C-alpha cells in the first residue's frame, strides 16, 4: 500500500515539475531562443572524489546530468547541442582510465539508441565530431551504427566531440582544402595542356631557363641582351671591324631584341592570366571542411566547474559566443544554470548579433 502511494506521489510531483518547467520555457520563448548551445563537461572526476565515489562513477553521474540537460534544451526549442565528451589530450591519461572511458562511451551510446530514449523521443540526429580513427574498434563501430541509425532524424541534432581538439580540426580542414585545390589545379592544367597553352609556356621556360611569372625576368633578360650588344660593339670598334655596318648591326640587334622582348611579355601575360585562374584557399573553403560544418556556430558556451577557458574546444566557432562558467561540477549542473545562461544570452542578444555582422 505504501509503495503504491509513494509511486502516485512521485508521479504527481514529477508531472508538476514538468508542467512548471514547460511554463518557464514558454516565458523564455518570448525572447530570442538560442539555436545552438555547447557544453564543456568538466568536473566528473572531482565530483567522484568529492562524493567518495569510485573513479568511473563520476562519469556515469555526468551522463545522467547530460541526459537531463538535453531534455531541457530540446523542450526549450534549442535545435543543436554540442558536448565535449573526450579530447585527444585525454589519451595521455592512464591506459586503464582511457580504456574504461572508451567502454563507458560505447555503453552510453548504445543506451541513447534504445527505443524509449531521448534520441527517439525528440527525433535527434547524432553527429560524432573528431578523428574517429583514434577510437578503439568497438567504440568506432558503435559510433558508425549510431550515425547510421539516426541519419533520418531531422528535428534536433546532438554533436558529440570525441577524439577532438580545435587545433586538430583546423589542421584537418586546411589539409582537406589543399587536397581539393590541388585536384582543381591538376584538372585545370590538364585542360590547358589539351588546349596547347601550357605546352607553349613550358617550351619558353625550358628554352630561356628563367621564371616567367614576373616582368622582372623579362627585364633582366633584356638587360643581358643590351650588355652583350654593348660589349660586341666595343670589341668591333677597337678592332676596326664592321665600321660601315655597325649602325645596321645595332639596328638589327635592337629590332631582334624588341621582337624577343615583346614575345616574352606576351608569354608572361598569358602565364599571369593562367595564374589568376588558379584557385586559392579562402575562408569559406576552410569553414566548409571543418568537422563542425554540420551545425551553425554556438550561441552559448557553458563550461561547468567555474573554469573560464576553452581547453582547445571550438576555438574557430566561438569568436562571438558568450561563455558561461558556473562553479557547479558537471554532475551538479541543472535547470537553473541553463535558464540563467539563456537569460544572459537574451540580455546581450542584440549586441552579439551586431558583433556577428561585423565579423
Amino acid at each position: 500500500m505504501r509503495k503504491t502511494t509513494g509511486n502516485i506521489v512521485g508521479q504527481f510531483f514529477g508531472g508538476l515539475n514538468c508542467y512548471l518547467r514547460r511554463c518557464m520555457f514558454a516565458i523564455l520563448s518570448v525572447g530570442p531562443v538560442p539555436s545552438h548551445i555547447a557544453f564543456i563537461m568538466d568536473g566528473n572526476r572531482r565530483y567522484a572524489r568529492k562524493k567518495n565515489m569510485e573513479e568511473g562513477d563520476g562519469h556515469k553521474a555526468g551522463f545522467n546530468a547530460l541526459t537531463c540537460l538535453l531534455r531541457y534544451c530540446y523542450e526549450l526549442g534549442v535545435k543543436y547541442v554540442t558536448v565535449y565528451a573526450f579530447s585527444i589530450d585525454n589519451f595521455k591519461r592512464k591506459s586503464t582510465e582511457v580504456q574504461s572511458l572508451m567502454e563507458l562511451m560505447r555503453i552510453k551510446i548504445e543506451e541513447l539508441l534504445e527505443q524509449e530514449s531521448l534520441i527517439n523521443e525528440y527525433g535527434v540526429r547524432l553527429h560524432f565530431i573528431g578523428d574517429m580513427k583514434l577510437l578503439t574498434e568497438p567504440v568506432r563501430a558503435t559510433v558508425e551504427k549510431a550515425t547510421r541509425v539516426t541519419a533520418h532524424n531531422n528535428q534536433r541534432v546532438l554533436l558529440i566531440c570525441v577524439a577532438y581538439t580545435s587545433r586538430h580540426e583546423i589542421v584537418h580542414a586546411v589539409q582537406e582544402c589543399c587536397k581539393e585545390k590541388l585536384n582543381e589545379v591538376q584538372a585545370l592544367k590538364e585542360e590547358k595542356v589539351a588546349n596547347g597553352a601550357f605546352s607553349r609556356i613550358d617550351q619558353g621556360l625550358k628554352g630561356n631557363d628563367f621564371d616567367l611569372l614576373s616582368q622582372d625576368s623579362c627585364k633582366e633578360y633584356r638587360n643581358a641582351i643590351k650588355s652583350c650588344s654593348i660589349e660586341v660593339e666595343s670589341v668591333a670598334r677597337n678592332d676596326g671591324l664592321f665600321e660601315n655596318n655597325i649602325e645596321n648591326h645595332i639596328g638589327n640587334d635592337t629590332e631582334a631584341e624588341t621582337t624577343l622582348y615583346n614575345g616574352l611579355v606576351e608569354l608572361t601575360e598569358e602565364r599571369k592570366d593562367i595564374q589568376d585562374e588558379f584557385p586559392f584557399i579562402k575562408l569559406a573553403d576552410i569553414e566548409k571542411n571543418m568537422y563542425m560544418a554540420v551545425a551553425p556556430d554556438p550561441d552559448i558556451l557553458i563550461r561547468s566547474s567555474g573554469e573560464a577557458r576553452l581547453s582547445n574546444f571550438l576555438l574557430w566557432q566561438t569568436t562571438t559566443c558568450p561563455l558561461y562558467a558556473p562553479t557547479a561540477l558537471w554532475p551538479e549542473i541543472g535547470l537553473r544554470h541553463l535558464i540563467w545562461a539563456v537569460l544572459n544570452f537574451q540580455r546581450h542578444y542584440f549586441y552579439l548579433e551586431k558583433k556577428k555582422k561585423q565579423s
Side-chain angles (χ1 to χ4, degrees):
M1 182 66 180
R2 290 181 179 178
K3 186 176 181 180
T4 304
T5 305
N7 289 337
I8 295 174
V9 172
Q11 291 176 1
F12 171 77
F13 282 106
L16 180 61
N17 181 48
C18 181
Y19 173 75
L20 293 175
R21 184 173 69 244
R22 290 178 183 273
C23 289
M24 284 189 290
F25 288 161
I27 296 172
L28 281 177
S29 298
V30 175
V33 175
S35 65
H36 187 178
I37 298 180
F39 294 97
I40 299 178
M41 302 184 294
D42 189 22
N44 289 326
R45 293 190 296 175
R46 276 173 283 175
Y47 178 82
R49 290 193 295 266
K50 178 180 177 182
K51 299 294 183 179
N52 295 319
M53 302 166 67
E54 294 194 11
E55 192 170 304
D57 291 342
H59 295 286
K60 294 177 182 178
F63 177 80
N64 295 332
L66 171 62
T67 304
C68 292
L69 278 176
L70 286 176
R71 181 177 295 279
Y72 301 155
C73 288
Y74 295 147
E75 286 181 358
L76 178 60
V78 178
K79 182 173 183 179
Y80 298 92
V81 175
T82 299
V83 295
Y84 199 7
F86 195 85
S87 167
I88 291 178
D89 297 332
N90 291 148
F91 285 107
K92 299 176 183 177
R93 295 180 180 179
K94 295 183 296 183
S95 59
T96 54
E97 182 181 356
V98 172
Q99 187 61 36
S100 174
L101 289 174
M102 289 288 110
E103 181 61 19
L104 178 62
M105 189 184 305
R106 185 192 65 79
I107 294 172
K108 295 307 180 182
I109 294 173
E110 290 284 359
E111 289 182 10
L112 287 175
L113 299 179
E114 292 177 358
Q115 189 64 33
E116 300 80 11
S117 72
L118 187 73
I119 299 300
N120 293 293
E121 181 181 349
Y122 287 94
V124 180
R125 181 172 183 175
L126 292 177
H127 285 285
F128 292 87
I129 307 299
D131 190 350
M132 299 299 112
K133 297 189 297 293
L134 299 178
L135 300 176
T136 60
E137 182 58 34
V139 176
R140 189 161 58 246
T142 305
V143 164
E144 293 172 357
K145 175 186 174 182
T147 304
R148 183 177 64 256
V149 169
T150 63
H152 64 282
N153 295 343
N154 56 15
Q155 297 180 29
R156 301 286 191 271
V157 179
L158 173 60
L159 301 100
I160 304 176
C161 295
V162 292
Y164 171 91
T165 64
S166 190
R167 290 176 181 173
H168 186 276
E169 178 187 26
I170 294 171
V171 170
H172 169 267
V174 173
Q175 289 174 340
E176 291 300 311
C177 286
C178 291
K179 291 177 184 177
E180 290 179 358
K181 298 306 177 182
L182 180 60
N183 291 335
E184 291 180 24
V185 169
Q186 292 293 342
L188 182 61
K189 184 173 181 180
E190 290 174 4
E191 179 183 349
K192 293 298 182 180
V193 168
N195 295 333
F198 263 96
S199 58
R200 192 158 78 87
I201 293 174
D202 290 339
Q203 288 175 3
L205 285 170
K206 292 176 181 177
N208 295 291
D209 194 26
F210 63 93
D211 184 15
L212 292 177
L213 290 177
S214 64
Q215 293 280 3
D216 294 337
S217 298
C218 297
K219 291 179 181 179
E220 292 172 4
Y221 192 78
R222 187 183 183 192
N223 292 336
I225 294 175
K226 283 185 177 181
S227 300
C228 182
S229 300
I230 293 172
E231 183 176 354
V232 170
E233 180 182 356
S234 175
V235 171
R237 287 186 183 279
N238 291 337
D239 292 345
L241 301 175
F242 312 118
E243 290 183 359
N244 296 328
N245 297 325
I246 194 68
E247 296 295 332
N248 294 332
H249 177 71
I250 296 174
N252 292 337
D253 275 354
T254 304
E255 182 180 355
E257 171 194 326
T258 303
T259 302
L260 178 60
Y261 175 71
N262 290 337
L264 293 174
V265 170
E266 180 183 354
L267 194 60
T268 302
E269 292 298 329
E270 188 172 355
R271 169 54 71 89
K272 280 191 171 184
D273 291 339
I274 295 173
Q275 186 183 17
D276 290 339
E277 295 177 10
F278 282 172
F280 293 93
I281 295 177
K282 300 177 182 178
L283 178 63
D285 297 319
I286 295 178
E287 291 183 338
K288 179 185 69 175
N289 285 286
M290 287 284 190
Y291 291 135
M292 289 292 295
V294 295
D297 291 347
D299 296 306
I300 306 173
L301 175 60
I302 299 176
R303 174 167 186 158
S304 55
S305 76
E307 296 286 349
R309 52 191 172 86
L310 298 183
S311 295
N312 215 344
F313 178 60
L314 302 184
L315 302 180
W316 185 279
Q317 295 86 359
T318 53
T319 53
T320 58
C321 175
L323 171 64
Y324 174 54
T327 56
L329 301 175
W330 177 252
E332 299 171 336
I333 202 165
L335 178 62
R336 68 184 187 279
H337 301 104
L338 177 64
I339 291 176
W340 186 250
V342 173
L343 286 173
N344 279 330
F345 165 77
Q346 292 178 340
R347 187 162 59 118
H348 299 101
Y349 175 76
F350 294 106
Y351 172 78
L352 295 172
E353 287 298 305
K354 180 180 177 182
K355 285 297 181 182
K356 285 181 181 179
K357 293 177 181 179
Q358 292 175 352
S359 60

